[in-house]
Amino acid sequence: MQILDQNTPLKGIIPPMVTPFDTEGRVDIQGVEKLVEHLISGGVHGIFILGTTGEFSSLDIAQKKELIAATCKFVDGRIPVLVGVTDVCLKGCIALSKFAESSGAYAVVAAPPYYMGIDQEELCLFYGQLADNIPLPLFLYNMPSHTKVSIDVQTAVALSKHRNIIGLKDSSANGSYFQSLQYCFRDQPDFVLMVGPEEMLAETVLMGGYGGVCGGANLFPRLYVKLYQAANDNNIVEIIRLQKLVMSISQKIYQHGGYKSSYLKGLKTALSFLGIIQAQFAPPLFPYDPNEEEELKVRFSKIASMILE
C-alpha cells in the first residue's frame, strides 16, 4: 500500500539510511528493523536506502535485494521508501527498479553512471532511457564528488519534462548551484528539490527547497525534523539553536579520525553507541580501532546529552 500519491511532492526529512551489517559482512536484518523503527518514531517523512551513506557501491545484487525487501516490509507503507538504483549499467538500474517496485517502494533514485566519461547529451539520453523503462518515479541524484559527472542545471530542467522524473537530490554542497536550480524551477512547484549536505538544510528550505536527505537523521531524527519544521515556519531563533547542534555533529562525529571515510565511520559507529546497529562496514571500509572508537564515544556522549536533554 502506498501512503503517498506520487503526484504529491515529497517534502521533509528523508534520511539516507545506513546499511546495517553483522560481523560476517551480511545484511543485519534485525538491525534494519531496529533502524527503521528508530527513524519512523523520530518523525521522518521518508527513507532513502542504497545511497552513498548506504554503501550501495560495495553491496552485491543479492544484498541489495535483501535490504530492499526487508526495509519495505518493516516500513509497511507508513512512510515512502526511496531506493537507490545507481549503476554503471542501464539494464542493472532497470532491473533493480523493477524489484523495488515489486517490494513496495515509492520511487527510485539514480546518480549518473560513474565510470565512462560522458557529456550532458549522453547523460540526458541515459536518464531518459531509464525513466522510459521503469515502473516507479525517478529522482535524479547529483553527486559529482563521487561520479565525476555533474548534472547541469539546464540538463535537470530538460529532464524534468519527462513525466516519470519527479525530483533531484543534490549532494554537490554547491550553494550557488542549488540556488540556480531553485530559480529555474520556480514555476515547476511539483518538481522536488532536496539537498544532501545537512549543514545546508535550513538555508535551502528557507529559500524554497523541499527538505533534506540528512545523514545525521539516522542518529537523531527528531533534531532534523525540528530543524526542517523551523525553517519551513521561518523561525529564525529556533533555526539558529538547532543549527548549532547539527554543526556539532558535523564537526565532532563526521570528522573523527582523519579518514576520507570519516563521515560514514563516525555515523555508523555512533549508531552502535545507541545500540541500534553494529559498527560494521562493507569492504573497502573498516571499523575504527579501539582507541579511536573510545575517543568518539566521549565526543558522542557530550553531543547526545545536548540534543536529548
Side-chain angles (χ1 to χ4, degrees):
M1 177 185 69
Q2 295 293 349
I3 50 76
L4 183 65
D5 189 324
Q6 276 115 344
N7 293 319
T8 302
L10 182 61
K11 296 183 178 183
I13 299 300
I14 319 294
M17 195 177 85
V18 303
T19 301
F21 296 109
D22 64 20
T23 56
E24 301 299 320
R26 298 168 300 206
V27 175
D28 179 1
I29 299 301
Q30 183 179 13
V32 173
E33 182 174 17
K34 291 172 72 174
L35 184 53
V36 164
E37 293 305 321
H38 172 67
L39 296 175
I40 292 178
S41 66
V44 302
H45 304 90
I47 291 175
F48 169 40
I49 61 172
L50 293 175
T52 307
T53 302
E55 300 173 79
F56 84 90
S57 61
S58 300
L59 275 64
D60 63 29
I61 188 63
Q63 290 175 309
K64 290 179 180 180
K65 288 183 175 181
E66 186 177 21
L67 179 66
I68 294 168
T71 303
C72 290
K73 174 186 175 183
F74 295 138
V75 169
D76 194 27
R78 289 176 287 175
I79 56 175
V81 176
L82 283 66
V83 176
V85 297
T86 301
D87 201 322
V88 295
C89 170
L90 177 62
K91 289 184 178 180
C93 294
I94 293 170
L96 198 59
S97 297
K98 291 179 177 178
F99 182 84
E101 191 273 339
S102 68
S103 298
Y106 164 77
V108 296
V109 185
Y114 50 86
Y115 183 80
M116 296 295 293
I118 58 175
D119 58 27
Q120 295 298 302
E121 183 179 3
E122 290 162 329
L123 187 59
C124 274
L125 178 61
F126 177 87
Y127 275 125
Q129 290 176 317
L130 177 58
D132 282 343
N133 288 282
I134 59 176
L136 289 174
L138 171 65
F139 281 84
L140 310 176
Y141 182 4
N142 190 45
M143 187 59 157
S145 63
H146 288 53
T147 65
K148 307 301 185 287
V149 180
S150 182
I151 303 173
D152 287 355
V153 172
Q154 292 307 315
T155 297
V157 171
L159 287 169
S160 73
K161 308 304 180 184
H162 195 293
R163 59 177 178 78
N164 211 29
I165 298 178
I166 64 171
L168 182 147
K169 178 208 170 190
D170 175 41
S171 292
S172 68
N174 184 332
S176 296
Y177 170 83
F178 198 81
Q179 291 296 329
S180 295
L181 283 173
Q182 291 180 304
Y183 177 78
C184 288
F185 282 100
R186 65 193 184 281
D187 296 325
Q188 290 179 245
D190 290 340
F191 193 80
V192 177
L193 295 174
M194 290 267 182
V195 71
E198 59 211 59
E199 299 87 349
M200 300 172 62
L201 169 66
E203 63 188 84
T204 55
V205 172
L206 282 169
M207 293 302 295
Y210 285 69
V213 186
C214 306
N218 282 278
L219 274 174
F220 302 113
R222 291 191 184 279
L223 168 64
Y224 294 86
V225 170
K226 288 179 180 178
L227 180 57
Y228 165 75
Q229 291 172 340
N232 205 40
D233 294 339
N234 202 26
N235 185 340
I236 303 301
V237 173
E238 184 71 349
I239 289 171
I240 292 172
R241 183 183 76 85
L242 297 171
Q243 182 73 13
K244 289 178 181 178
L245 297 175
V246 168
M247 293 308 300
S248 293
I249 295 169
S250 177
Q251 295 292 317
K252 302 297 185 181
I253 303 298
Y254 299 163
Q255 299 183 36
H256 177 63
Y259 301 93
K260 288 186 176 180
S261 58
S262 284
Y263 156 69
L264 193 53
K265 284 181 186 289
L267 178 59
K268 292 188 83 171
T269 305
L271 271 167
S272 75
F273 299 153
L274 294 176
I276 296 172
I277 66 167
Q278 301 178 62
Q280 299 295 329
F281 304 83
L285 302 187
F286 53 85
Y288 286 125
D289 67 36
N291 289 335
E292 291 173 321
E293 184 172 329
E294 190 58 35
E295 290 172 7
L296 182 64
K297 183 177 289 187
V298 173
R299 293 185 178 199
F300 175 77
S301 296
K302 293 179 180 178
I303 293 172
S305 65
M306 292 188 295
I307 293 173
L308 299 176
E309 65 182 7

